[in-house]
Amino acid sequence: MPGVTRRTTAGLVIATTLVAGGCADATTTGATAPEPAEVRSTTIQGHEGRFVGAVTHRHEYADPGITMTPPPAAARADVSWTDAFDACFAGALQCVTTDDAVVSLAMVTGPGNAVVHGRQMFEDALTYVVTWEPVDCYRPDLAGSRCRLVDLITADDGNLPAGTNVYTFEIPESSPPPSD
């Protein structure tokens, strides 16, 4: 039964987050960036996380208003990708873990509907992007569809410590995942 309790709690967390985050429609355009690093993986609580390095294309998700671009070659995170993935399972706001995930690194701007002190939550911020395998969509307007949940975890110390899971949104399974 622990899985049911976690799923119910996770459902409440994602429902709250999705009210703010919405479901995304994505567009992807090419950009220059360093090639993804060697693929590495770790398993935490039965969920495999695979790190694929930096995104290599621009990804735009109109709803909730998030743009992801390749980070500069000199960008360095203040926390490791494994610590960022581990943040999905610890802390006040945990990821809704649906199976296994791909972890990438991107510069994130947005979301358009989350403004803190007059600024978007992320303003070209180095961020870990955790993209989970598709599951049934949570939003009622997408009932019967499959979606990927995407968690944004801080990679740089700033207003929040690096490795803090701060935002979750949903993308249709047909949208390009932000892991390339």
Side-chain angles (χ1 to χ4, degrees):
M1 273 326 224
V4 172
T5 302
R6 176 154 169 74
R7 181 89 171 157
T8 301
T9 303
L12 292 174
V13 170
I14 193 63
T16 302
T17 304
L18 289 174
V19 167
C23 180
D25 295 320
T27 57
T28 303
T29 57
T32 60
E35 287 298 313
E38 171 187 329
V39 175
R40 294 167 274 172
S41 66
T42 189
T43 301
I44 300 173
Q45 295 184 13
H47 300 276
E48 181 184 19
R50 257 184 338 112
F51 183 64
V52 295
V55 298
T56 58
H57 298 86
R58 178 183 183 91
H59 297 273
E60 293 182 275
Y61 299 96
D63 179 9
I66 289 179
T67 301
M68 297 178 192
T69 58
R76 298 289 175 258
D78 292 334
V79 65
S80 70
W81 78 270
T82 53
D83 287 344
F85 186 63
D86 188 51
C88 282
F89 304 93
L93 183 59
Q94 297 180 12
C95 300
V96 178
T97 56
T98 59
D99 199 2
D100 295 335
V102 173
V103 181
S104 55
L105 192 61
M107 300 304 289
V108 174
T109 298
N113 63 356
V115 177
V116 180
H117 303 293
R119 297 173 55 189
Q120 289 182 335
M121 185 179 291
F122 295 95
E123 288 189 34
D124 205 27
L126 188 62
T127 306
Y128 283 106
V129 181
V130 180
T131 307
W132 298 91
E133 290 183 4
V135 295
D136 293 338
C137 296
Y138 284 90
R139 283 185 38 177
D141 59 324
L142 296 172
S145 300
R146 301 209 18 108
C147 292
R148 288 181 176 89
L149 294 170
V150 180
D151 289 292
L152 302 179
I153 300 173
T154 58
D156 283 341
D157 283 325
N159 293 333
L160 295 171
T164 302
N165 180 18
V166 293
Y167 196 79
T168 300
F169 64 102
E170 197 171 36
I171 60 174
E173 182 178 29
S174 60
S175 292
S179 58
D180 64 348

